[in-house]
Amino acid sequence: MRVRPSDESGWSSDGTRAAEVIAAEVRDAPPGEVPGRLCRTAVRLLPVTGASASLRGEGVPVRLCASGDRATYLAELQATLGAGPCVSAAESGAPVLACDLTSAADAGRWPVFAQQATAVGVRAVYALPLGSVTGCLGTLDLYRDTPGPLAGPQLRLARLVADVMTTALMALPRGEETWLDQLAGDHDEVYQAVGMIMAQLGVGADEALARLRADAFVRGHTVHDVARDVLTHGRRFDRDH
């Protein structure tokens, strides 16, 4: 049975009931399924149309899960651009609430991301840190087709989902092969590619990463896709100059 959104069913005023739904969704789930289930649960319980979660990486967020294709695209777009509410929330360790991506305040802060997001019908993004200012693991990102803030109870519920996701990530076994290995491998590929671009162009790491990102955006690829092209020698940046 589908759970109605919080603005229709009273979930926002009954945190206990919402917590029970969240607990039921993740109970007995393998670790690798927990973030994805929580993203889908957030969409069911909150007045949002999509959700994704990304792990914080040095310079490049790594998408952990998403509720659908559009949420996947927006998570990867922020990783490729190195800009957006997700990136800002991971850097600050505090919630970043972009309530209207067509407004001067939000569009001015992330102009390319705002343009691309509104082009696919998203008007608001709410990015919540997984963890705290001193220990941010990543972000839970919520997307909505209409502008406006999350009401106080809705924001508290979103934070509850983020807290459960943080707890699940913190509880992963240490020193063992886990479902995060592939994600870590994707992140390593980006920095191996950055090293190769540095050698090809004789530039520093920041400029090499910027070149990688720009190439990915112009070609409509993700930064991880272009990194793999570089590593397999299918893409050389010195041939562009």
Side-chain angles (χ1 to χ4, degrees):
M1 181 178 69
R2 179 177 170 81
V3 179
R4 291 175 295 167
S6 60
D7 54 351
E8 297 176 4
S9 65
W11 287 111
S12 61
S13 62
D14 189 347
T16 301
R17 293 177 64 200
E20 289 172 353
V21 170
I22 293 168
E25 288 293 331
V26 301
R27 187 175 295 121
D28 300 324
E33 293 183 10
V34 170
R37 290 191 183 192
L38 289 172
C39 277
R40 292 188 292 273
T41 300
V43 175
R44 293 169 63 196
L45 294 178
L46 291 161
V48 298
T49 53
S52 65
S54 296
L55 294 177
R56 183 179 185 181
E58 291 189 23
V60 181
V62 180
R63 179 174 56 82
L64 186 59
C65 60
S67 63
D69 291 343
R70 188 166 61 171
T72 296
Y73 167 72
L74 292 170
E76 293 289 357
L77 176 64
Q78 293 180 83
T80 297
L81 295 173
C86 160
V87 177
S88 296
E91 290 175 346
S92 67
V96 173
L97 309 176
C99 298
D100 186 354
L101 291 172
T102 66
S103 70
D106 292 339
R109 189 171 183 184
W110 314 285
V112 179
F113 171 75
Q115 190 277 327
Q116 296 293 313
T118 55
V120 296
V122 170
R123 286 286 300 275
V125 180
Y126 318 104
L128 305 174
L130 302 176
S132 63
V133 174
T134 57
C136 182
L137 302 176
T139 60
L140 169 66
D141 306 302
L142 306 172
Y143 309 102
R144 194 164 77 178
D145 294 356
T146 56
L150 287 179
Q154 295 164 350
L155 184 56
R156 287 193 293 273
L157 178 53
R159 283 175 162 165
L160 174 61
V161 176
D163 287 345
V164 174
M165 192 177 293
T166 301
T167 299
L169 292 173
M170 294 294 289
L172 289 172
R174 298 294 187 266
E176 297 179 12
E177 193 78 9
T178 74
W179 55 279
L180 287 175
D181 286 347
Q182 181 59 51
L183 295 176
D186 290 345
H187 190 263
D188 289 345
E189 285 179 347
V190 170
Y191 283 93
Q192 291 171 25
V194 166
M196 292 180 67
I197 296 170
M198 290 170 64
Q200 290 170 11
L201 298 179
V203 298
D206 289 347
E207 182 172 347
L209 179 57
R211 296 288 188 96
L212 182 68
R213 281 185 158 133
D215 186 79
F217 180 71
V218 168
R219 296 168 64 198
H221 294 172
T222 72
V223 70
H224 298 99
D225 289 338
V226 177
R228 291 188 193 102
D229 285 347
V230 172
L231 294 178
T232 58
H233 304 287
R235 184 82 176 92
R236 286 189 62 88
F237 280 66
D238 53 355
R239 291 174 183 167
D240 296 338
H241 300 274

